[in-house]
Amino acid sequence: MKLAEIVRPKKDLPVRKSKLWGNLDIMELSEESLRGPADVVSVLNDAGEVIGEINREDLIYLAKRNQVTRFAKVLDYMDEGVVAIDDKGRIFYLNNAYSQILGIPRYKVIGKYMPQIETGALLNKVLETHESISKDKQLISSINKYVSMRIFPQFSGGAFAGAISIFKDVTELNTMNHEVQRMSDVIKEVTRKLDYQEAFKNLGIITQNSEFIKVLEVANIAAKTDVTVLIRGESGVGKEVMAKLLHSGSNRNNSPLITVNCAAIPEHLFESELFGYEAGSFTGASKSGKIGKFQLADQGTLFLDEIGDLPLPMQAKLLRVLQQGEIEKIGSANAIPVDVRIITATNKPLEDLMKAEKFREDLFFRLNVISLNIPPLRERKEDIPLLANHFLGIYNKRYKKSLTISAEEYSDMMQYDWPGNIRQLQNYLERSVILGTATMGDMILKPENGATPDAGSHAAHPVDRSLSLKDQLKRCEKEIIEQTLREQNGDRQKTIEALKISRRTFYRRYGQLKQAP
């Protein structure tokens, strides 16, 4: 709304205020309209209520600047905010969008100095550099908003006269970009984990156990480096599989992974196995010499399994290789450089071996840069059904069978402690598929039709005079149990009830009778 008039006080009253009716419009101000005794001019709304005050001197200043900025009235129709300052940094113009974007009324900003309003404003920098600035995202800290802006210096007669800033609110866009970036990161993380899971599955690593997943995540990070890794865990937990994962995820995956079982090498052969020997270097040596495991693994990975069984003399030589990056063959005085990544594994407590002076402390610290502790199967029982299905699928396909596992059998597997860990479970599943029906404690596999294998194929045997009474009774017991199982469609609990024997007796006798003639 345009300025209507300036209400002047009566001469006989000591009033030092004047009033501006309607919304303040800088374009309507002039020096002539501001003459009078008033020190402060009040800004009123259409209802006559005071909504702010402006110093009279500031208004005179603005009126003077008006002759320079009359063209700027059209800027009120822009969606972008516009603010203009003089060479001292004093704000002499701003449009409607400025107030709307920043949420600040004009009268609170107009005539003020920009460095006082926003100390970090880029406009202040232009005051020093006299150079234009363009920025896609700038935080206005006083109101916590982001704007994109372009700032242009103004010159008059070759001298710096001020600057104009044109900006647009991008807070919502910035928030959306952050959300898009966050979702993109989430997708990348999910994809990364899916890739990991696929890689794990290809190596036979199947798990839902949170602790083991943490170990695998560390392994994936370590795999991309050449850091030495010590894999710890009981026999059968899959330490060699973990070594394969570390190698396949490294930049050495196109070079060989050489495995050495330190527990399987006689002590006097360790040096020749690891470092090799020259022709004729000792009695019985090959005429062509031998390349050791370190040379075979050059540019690749050497996996030293059961490192706790490495003899002390070889521990010192291994430490030297790790420190120097070179080996010496038996019978040669020449050092051969090798570039090998070392991964070790053990099921022994190396700390106890160090106390007993059977393992070098300096070698331990050299090998134990990253330690991966694989939990035993009894501590990740939620993985037993997954692993059982995985192995069952492999062996059903290999041996052209179609065995399944019942819910009760899964429960039996979950209750067993599996002292041999995954290797024991895998061997059990293979044996079960090969034999068609196998027992181990309370566990029995059965064909898909629910009957025991070869159901109906066993007829009652006549009395065999060549067998003792004991053997014939065993045969009869076997037939009775198998016949009852067939009648009960393979349901063991119903078979036990029908035979009126205890569960323990059933499994003990059934297991024994499988060996009966």
Side-chain angles (χ1 to χ4, degrees):
M1 182 177 293
K2 295 181 179 180
L3 178 65
E5 62 175 326
I6 297 179
V7 181
R8 306 190 184 287
K10 294 181 180 179
K11 293 181 179 180
D12 55 345
L13 295 177
V15 178
R16 301 292 293 170
K17 282 191 176 183
S18 294
K19 299 178 181 179
L20 296 178
W21 288 95
N23 295 330
L24 179 65
D25 191 335
I26 300 301
M27 294 298 102
E28 300 298 322
L29 291 176
S30 66
E31 285 190 73
E32 290 74 14
S33 65
L34 292 170
R35 289 175 182 171
D39 291 334
V40 177
V41 177
S42 295
V43 181
L44 277 63
N45 61 19
D46 292 332
E49 298 171 343
V50 176
I51 60 173
E53 295 179 346
I54 297 180
N55 185 282
R56 181 172 174 275
E57 292 182 359
D58 289 340
L59 287 176
I60 293 174
Y61 165 80
L62 296 172
K64 289 180 178 179
R65 297 296 303 182
N66 189 35
Q67 59 184 330
V68 180
T69 60
R70 289 185 182 278
F71 73 93
K73 188 171 183 179
V74 296
L75 300 180
D76 272 339
Y77 297 99
M78 293 176 60
D79 293 329
E80 290 83 0
V82 179
V83 58
I85 60 173
D86 63 14
D87 59 332
K88 304 299 182 183
R90 195 175 192 185
I91 300 172
F92 64 85
Y93 174 77
L94 50 90
N95 69 347
N96 285 334
Y98 178 98
S99 295
Q100 293 169 2
I101 293 173
L102 303 186
I104 303 174
R106 287 187 182 186
Y107 68 86
K108 287 190 175 181
V109 180
I110 202 82
K112 301 294 191 297
Y113 289 89
M114 180 59 72
Q116 297 174 350
I117 297 174
E118 186 74 29
T119 55
L122 292 180
L123 264 172
N124 300 330
K125 187 174 182 180
V126 176
L127 290 174
E128 301 174 0
T129 64
H130 301 174
E131 296 178 354
S132 60
I133 296 176
S134 178
K135 199 158 187 180
D136 292 332
K137 186 177 71 174
Q138 172 70 18
L139 174 65
I140 302 178
S141 57
S142 60
I143 58 172
N144 196 30
K145 279 192 174 184
Y146 286 92
V147 296
S148 64
M149 60 172 55
R150 291 165 293 163
I151 304 174
F152 307 98
Q154 302 296 303
F155 297 91
S156 178
F160 178 72
I164 295 176
S165 174
I166 303 172
F167 60 92
K168 186 174 183 178
D169 187 0
V170 294
T171 303
E172 184 175 352
L173 180 61
N174 183 66
T175 302
M176 290 176 63
N177 286 339
H178 276 302
E179 184 62 18
V180 169
Q181 184 61 47
R182 188 187 71 82
M183 291 303 298
S184 176
D185 291 342
V186 168
I187 292 171
K188 287 179 181 178
E189 180 65 15
V190 170
T191 302
R192 182 179 66 87
K193 289 187 175 181
L194 288 174
D195 290 341
Y196 286 170
Q197 290 175 4
E198 187 64 26
F200 299 158
K201 188 174 181 180
N202 291 337
L203 291 170
I205 300 177
I206 299 172
T207 185
Q208 289 182 340
N209 180 265
S210 58
E211 292 303 314
F212 191 32
I213 289 173
K214 290 178 183 177
V215 174
L216 292 172
E217 289 177 345
V218 173
N220 273 282
I221 295 172
K224 298 176 177 61
T225 71
D226 280 343
V227 66
T228 56
V229 178
L230 175 61
I231 306 170
R232 311 184 79 161
E234 297 177 4
S235 178
V237 295
K239 297 188 288 294
E240 186 171 356
V241 173
M242 181 66 75
K244 290 179 180 177
L245 173 67
L246 290 166
H247 176 72
S248 64
S250 73
N251 57 5
R252 297 174 179 265
N253 55 11
N254 291 324
S255 297
L257 167 65
I258 303 298
T259 299
V260 177
N261 187 343
C262 299
I265 301 176
E267 186 171 346
H268 65 281
L269 294 180
F270 260 109
E271 189 169 3
S272 63
E273 283 294 317
L274 293 181
F275 307 137
Y277 57 80
E278 295 290 356
S281 56
F282 57 87
T283 303
S286 171
K287 294 181 179 180
S288 59
K290 181 179 180 178
I291 295 178
K293 303 297 186 184
F294 268 93
Q295 277 188 282
L296 291 175
D298 193 30
Q299 305 301 317
T301 304
L302 181 63
F303 174 47
L304 300 175
D305 198 7
E306 306 299 348
I307 189 67
D309 291 306
L310 190 67
L312 276 171
M314 284 306 303
Q315 292 179 27
K317 294 185 178 182
L318 175 60
L319 181 62
R320 182 180 180 279
V321 173
L322 293 175
Q323 292 172 339
Q324 303 296 329
E326 57 186 24
I327 63 169
E328 288 183 8
K329 285 186 175 184
I330 297 175
S332 173
N334 297 323
I336 301 173
V338 288
D339 178 12
V340 176
R341 196 252 182 104
I342 300 294
I343 299 174
T344 59
T346 184
N347 61 359
K348 293 184 177 181
L350 297 183
E351 292 81 0
D352 293 344
L353 293 179
M354 286 189 289
K355 290 178 182 178
E357 297 184 350
K358 294 181 178 179
F359 200 86
R360 294 178 62 104
E361 188 177 73
D362 49 2
L363 178 60
F364 171 78
F365 291 123
R366 189 64 185 255
L367 299 177
N368 193 40
V369 179
I370 296 290
S371 182
L372 301 177
N373 296 287
I374 305 177
L377 192 54
R378 64 180 175 274
E379 293 179 6
R380 40 184 285 224
K381 289 198 171 183
E382 65 268 39
D383 291 342
I384 291 175
L386 301 176
L387 290 164
N389 276 332
H390 174 70
F391 293 133
L392 184 63
I394 291 175
Y395 297 127
N396 269 337
K397 183 177 180 180
R398 180 179 298 177
Y399 300 113
K400 297 179 174 58
K401 298 290 185 71
S402 58
L403 297 178
T404 60
I405 306 173
S406 70
E408 187 178 3
E409 289 156 352
Y410 280 130
S411 178
D412 291 338
M413 288 183 182
M414 297 281 282
Q415 293 174 23
Y416 186 65
D417 278 343
W418 299 102
N421 292 294
I422 297 172
R423 184 185 293 119
Q424 183 186 7
L425 176 64
Q426 182 176 1
N427 292 342
Y428 167 69
L429 266 296
E430 184 174 15
R431 182 175 69 252
S432 299
V433 172
I434 292 173
L435 298 179
T437 297
T439 62
M440 179 177 171
D442 287 353
M443 293 169 288
I444 301 176
L445 284 172
K446 60 186 179 182
E448 288 182 337
N449 60 12
T452 54
D454 303 323
S457 63
H458 298 283
H461 291 280
V463 175
D464 188 344
R465 300 300 181 185
S466 65
L467 297 175
S468 67
L469 176 61
K470 182 179 179 180
D471 289 339
Q472 292 191 65
L473 287 174
K474 285 184 178 180
R475 173 179 288 185
C476 289
E477 282 191 358
K478 174 184 177 185
E479 290 180 353
I480 291 170
I481 291 174
E482 290 183 341
Q483 178 62 35
T484 307
L485 271 170
R486 289 195 293 271
E487 292 172 355
Q488 301 299 331
N489 293 320
D491 191 311
R492 291 167 295 165
Q493 185 58 39
K494 290 182 179 180
T495 301
I496 291 170
E497 293 172 358
L499 293 172
K500 295 181 174 59
I501 59 176
S502 69
R503 184 182 181 89
R504 182 175 181 180
T505 299
F506 170 80
Y507 286 115
R508 185 179 69 252
R509 290 193 178 182
Y510 186 68
Q512 293 172 348
L513 293 173
K514 298 303 288 183
Q515 306 300 323

